[in-house]
Amino acid sequence: MDIADRPEIAPELRLVPHAFRRTFGRPASGVWYAPGVLNLLGGAVKVHAKWGAIVAGDKRDDGKLELVSVNRPTERALLPSDDVPAWAAGIEATGGATLMCSVDLPQGSGLSAAEALQTAVGLALRDLAGVSGVND
């Protein structure tokens, strides 16, 4: 069963795979989450927040990384490219995938949305490529 259709799952975790299915016409093969991070003492101490980044998606065979944001649906990114929307800046195309992204970090909170999104995308790319992680 598609995670978007599972009522026992938190609504924020169902929203992104639902948006993926509506946008691409197929269910996502996975959903990944990374918490926002508050960097204290110049980044020496990192505190995780309840807000973060969620991505849902599946693998692509052409090696390109397509990113679509629930928050900015008209600003798509197809990496590698020199023309990347600001919300996707800093994300590197290290594998082929189509990902729907959502970042729910409050503006001006001091939480790193970019770091959370980079981490969630990295987890998705790792899993979709079938690579075992250090903590697996």
Side-chain angles (χ1 to χ4, degrees):
M1 175 184 277
D2 187 352
I3 193 171
D5 298 326
R6 294 180 55 192
E8 74 276 11
I9 303 292
E12 60 273 13
L13 292 177
R14 293 193 326 253
L15 171 70
V16 181
H18 176 74
F20 181 92
R21 185 174 61 198
R22 296 277 302 188
T23 302
F24 299 105
R26 63 188 185 276
S29 62
V31 179
W32 297 266
Y33 168 79
V37 175
L38 179 60
N39 292 309
L40 302 174
L41 302 172
V45 176
K46 295 179 184 263
V47 178
H48 297 280
K50 72 174 187 173
W51 302 282
I54 301 168
V55 298
D58 60 12
K59 190 173 182 173
R60 287 176 67 121
D61 293 329
D62 63 2
K64 299 220 182 253
L65 176 59
E66 180 178 13
L67 300 169
V68 181
S69 173
V70 169
N71 310 92
R72 292 183 165 76
T74 60
E75 298 178 15
R76 291 184 179 210
L78 187 61
L79 304 173
S81 171
D82 293 330
D83 185 26
V84 178
W87 67 266
I91 296 176
E92 295 183 25
T94 57
T98 298
L99 300 175
M100 177 66 69
C101 308
S102 176
V103 177
D104 67 351
L105 298 169
Q107 288 283 7
S109 66
L111 297 168
S112 176
E115 190 172 340
L117 183 58
Q118 289 170 357
T119 301
V121 168
L123 291 170
L125 293 174
R126 180 198 70 186
D127 290 350
L128 290 170
V131 177
S132 294
V134 176
N135 296 321
D136 287 349

